[in-house]
Amino acid sequence: MSNWKTIRLILGNSTLDFVHQAMTHRFYLTCLLSAIALFPATVRAEVVSTPATQATLQLAQNTPNSTPNDSTTPSATPSSTPNDSTTPNATPSATPNSTLVDVATNDDRFDTLSSAVKAAGLEDTLSGDEPYTVFAPTDEAFDELPDGVVDALLKPENRDLLRDILMYHVVPGNVTAEDLETGPVDTLNGGLSVRVDPDKVVVNNGSVVEPDIKAGNGVVHAVNRVMIPPAAKNRLAALMPVRGLW
C-alpha cells in the first residue's frame, strides 16, 4: 500500500477533500503544512507531490490576503462634536459696548421703559461714560398701573414728573446683585428700601425678577413694579385722582 493510500486510510477521503478545498485560505494552508510536517519524510514527499496538493498550494499562493492593508484601512469617521470655535455660546445679555439705553431698546421686555426714557430726556444720561445701576420696570410692571397713567406720563407736559419717577430707579455706580445689601440705597431722586432675602431681592414694594443684565456703562436689574418716589405721589395723584392709589 502506498503512503498516499495510507494517509487516505488514516484521515479518510472526505477529510482530505475538505482540506484541499479549504486550502484557498492561507490560514488553512498553514495548518495543513504543519500537519504534513508531522509525517515521516517519505510520506511528506508523496503527499506534497500529488497533483491535488500541488494545485491547492498554487491556488493558495495566488489568493490575495484578505486582511486590509493599513494604507487602505478607512480612517475613523470624523467626530460630529462641533469644534470649540463653532460651538454657539450662550446669548449675552448685552455687549460690552452697549449702553443702558441700548439694553432697554433691544430687550422687548422694556419697550415701555425705553419709550419713557426718551420722553423724559434721559437718553444722554444713561448713554454716557458714567456708570449707573437701573432697577428697570418691565412692561408688565407698567401694565400694573391704572389705565391711562402711562399715556399721561408720556405727554410732553408731564415730562418733569416722568423724569422724577424714572430717576428714582437709577442708582449711581455699578451695583451688581452680589453688591446689594439690606438697607437704604440712594438713587438720583431719593432713597429706595432694599431687602436681600436668600431667594429674592425686594426693592420697595417690588422684586428683582432678573438681576445683572450687563451694559458697557452699568447694570440693569429687571423689577416687577414701577416705584413712585414719595415726593411725586401728590403730583401723580393730582394727575390721576384715584383714591388710595398713591
Side-chain angles (χ1 to χ4, degrees):
M1 182 182 295
S2 67
N3 291 330
W4 177 247
K5 291 180 179 180
T6 301
I7 294 172
R8 283 187 174 274
L9 181 61
I10 295 172
L11 298 180
N13 291 332
S14 60
T15 302
L16 285 176
D17 291 338
F18 170 77
V19 170
H20 282 302
Q21 293 176 11
M23 294 308 293
T24 55
H25 299 283
R26 291 180 180 274
F27 173 77
Y28 296 108
L29 174 61
T30 302
C31 293
L32 178 62
L33 293 177
S34 297
I36 291 173
L38 299 176
F39 292 110
T42 55
V43 176
R44 290 201 305 269
E46 185 169 346
V47 172
V48 173
S49 63
T50 61
T53 302
Q54 288 294 319
T56 302
L57 290 172
Q58 184 64 35
L59 179 61
Q61 290 174 356
N62 294 334
T63 302
N65 195 332
S66 60
T67 302
N69 188 282
D70 290 341
S71 62
T72 60
T73 302
S75 59
T77 303
S79 173
S80 60
T81 302
N83 187 280
D84 289 342
S85 61
T86 60
T87 302
N89 295 323
T91 304
S93 298
T95 62
N97 295 326
S98 65
T99 67
L100 293 165
V101 173
D102 294 332
V103 170
T105 301
N106 296 327
D107 192 323
D108 58 11
R109 295 172 298 175
F110 303 126
D111 287 344
T112 304
L113 177 62
S114 180
S115 298
V117 167
K118 294 176 183 178
L122 290 174
E123 286 181 292
D124 290 343
T125 301
L126 299 179
S127 296
D129 294 333
E130 187 172 353
Y132 289 103
T133 298
V134 178
F135 291 99
T138 63
D139 289 347
E140 292 180 353
F142 279 101
D143 290 342
E144 292 293 323
L145 296 174
D147 291 342
V149 170
V150 173
D151 291 337
L153 289 173
L154 293 176
K155 292 180 179 179
E157 59 267 28
N158 296 319
R159 178 175 177 174
D160 289 344
L161 177 58
L162 175 61
R163 187 182 181 91
D164 286 348
I165 292 173
L166 294 182
M167 290 173 63
Y168 190 54
H169 296 74
V170 180
V171 177
N174 195 336
V175 184
T176 66
E178 187 178 17
D179 298 327
L180 288 172
E181 297 179 351
T182 298
V185 175
D186 291 332
T187 73
L188 296 181
N189 188 31
L192 293 171
S193 176
V194 173
R195 187 180 80 246
V196 179
D197 293 337
D199 58 339
K200 63 181 177 180
V201 175
V202 177
V203 183
N204 281 13
N205 62 337
S207 298
V208 174
V209 293
E210 183 176 345
D212 294 339
I213 305 173
K214 300 293 180 62
N217 64 335
V219 61
V220 173
H221 304 301
V223 295
N224 60 2
R225 290 288 186 275
V226 177
M227 295 168 286
I228 309 299
K233 287 185 177 182
N234 290 336
R235 294 157 60 196
L236 191 58
L239 179 66
M240 301 293 298
V242 179
R243 184 181 296 274
L245 178 62
W246 315 110

